[in-house]
Amino acid sequence: MGIELDFPAVLAQWPLLAKGVLWTLGLTAISAVIGLLLGTACAWARSSGPLALRWIAATYVELIRNTPFIVQLFFVFFGLPAAGVKLTPEIASVIAMVINLGAYAAEIIRAGIEATPKGQFEAAASLALSRVQTFFHVVLPPSLKKVWPALTSQIIIVMLGSAVCGQISTQELSYAANLIQSRNFRAFEAFIVATGIYLLLSIGVRALLNWLGPRYLFGGRRG
C-alpha cells in the first residue's frame, strides 16, 4: 500500500508555522543574551571570585549540567507555583532556557579563561587594574574569541531544546506542528516540515552568531 503525502495540507497552516518560528527565535534570542551574561558571571565567580561564590557557582553548574532540561522546565513551570510563584508558559520557558544555557556557557567560558596566558594577568596588574577590570577588559574578550564556536553550538542546542517547551503550551515551532497534525492528522508531513524549518533555523542562527561575534563581542571591527 502506497503512502500518499499531503504537504499542502500542512503548508496551508503557514500562519501557525510562522508564529511558531517567531516564538522559537524570540525565546532563543532572549535566553542567549541573558544566558551568556549569567554564564560569564558564573565563569568569573569560579575563576576569580570569593571562595563562597565559587562554591555557589560550582553547585549551580553541576546541578544544571547533570539534570535533563525537561525536568528543569517542569520544575520552573509546575514546581514554583507550589511556592507561590506563578508563571506564564513563555516566561517559564525563558527562565528554564536561561538557567540551562548559563550553566553550560559558564564552563565553556571558564575553559577560555584558563587558556589565557599568565602574561596578560601580569600586564593588567602592572597597570593597576582591579580584578573585575582585568577580567572584563583584558581576559574576557580573547577568551570569548577562543570559545565562540563552542558557545554558538550551545546556543543552537538550546534553541533546538526549546521544542520541549511545547509540553507546557509555549507556542513555539514544535507546538505549532503538533497543533497542525491534530487538526488534519498529517503527523508525518507536519513534523517533516518542522524538521526542515529547524534545520534552516540552525544554519541561519549559526551564520548570524558567527557574523556577530567577531564584530561586537570580542574586539573585532565595529560598524
Side-chain angles (χ1 to χ4, degrees):
M1 183 176 67
I3 299 176
E4 294 183 4
L5 301 179
D6 188 9
F7 286 102
V10 174
L11 297 177
Q13 302 289 328
W14 66 265
L16 279 176
L17 292 171
K19 184 177 181 180
V21 168
L22 291 176
W23 269 109
T24 297
L25 290 175
L27 292 172
T28 302
I30 295 171
S31 63
V33 172
I34 303 176
L36 289 180
L37 291 175
L38 177 60
T40 300
C42 289
W44 173 82
R46 296 202 67 183
S47 62
S48 305
L51 182 60
L53 202 55
R54 293 186 189 187
W55 277 102
I56 293 173
T59 301
Y60 155 67
V61 168
E62 292 303 317
L63 177 63
I64 298 302
R65 279 163 51 92
N66 290 287
T67 54
F69 174 66
I70 192 170
V71 173
Q72 299 162 16
L73 177 67
F74 283 179
F75 175 80
V76 172
F77 186 67
F78 295 113
L80 290 184
V85 181
K86 295 184 179 180
L87 303 169
T88 65
E90 293 76 20
I91 294 177
S93 297
V94 168
I95 292 174
M97 290 170 68
V98 166
I99 291 173
N100 186 270
L101 177 58
Y104 284 92
E107 288 300 278
I108 293 172
I109 296 171
R110 187 165 73 98
I113 293 170
E114 291 179 351
T116 302
K118 292 183 179 180
Q120 289 187 285
F121 292 95
E122 295 170 356
S126 69
L127 294 173
L129 296 179
S130 67
R131 291 167 65 182
V132 174
Q133 289 174 321
T134 299
F135 179 79
F136 284 102
H137 297 291
V138 178
V139 177
L140 185 59
S143 298
L144 284 177
K145 186 174 183 179
K146 290 186 183 77
V147 302
W148 189 246
L151 286 174
T152 297
S153 295
Q154 192 59 47
I155 292 172
I156 298 297
I157 290 172
V158 170
M159 181 186 74
L160 297 177
S162 69
V164 176
C165 298
Q167 298 296 316
I168 61 170
S169 299
T170 302
Q171 299 181 44
E172 42 71 55
L173 181 56
S174 70
Y175 177 90
N178 194 47
L179 182 58
I180 290 171
Q181 70 87 21
S182 70
R183 291 178 176 179
N184 57 24
F185 305 103
R186 292 290 177 178
F188 183 80
E189 294 94 325
F191 288 106
I192 283 291
V193 170
T195 299
I197 294 175
Y198 274 119
L199 177 61
L200 293 175
L201 287 177
S202 298
I203 294 172
V205 170
R206 185 181 299 276
L208 177 62
L209 291 173
N210 286 337
W211 178 80
L212 286 175
R215 286 164 175 77
Y216 299 103
L217 294 180
F218 36 79
R221 178 172 59 85
R222 300 176 185 271

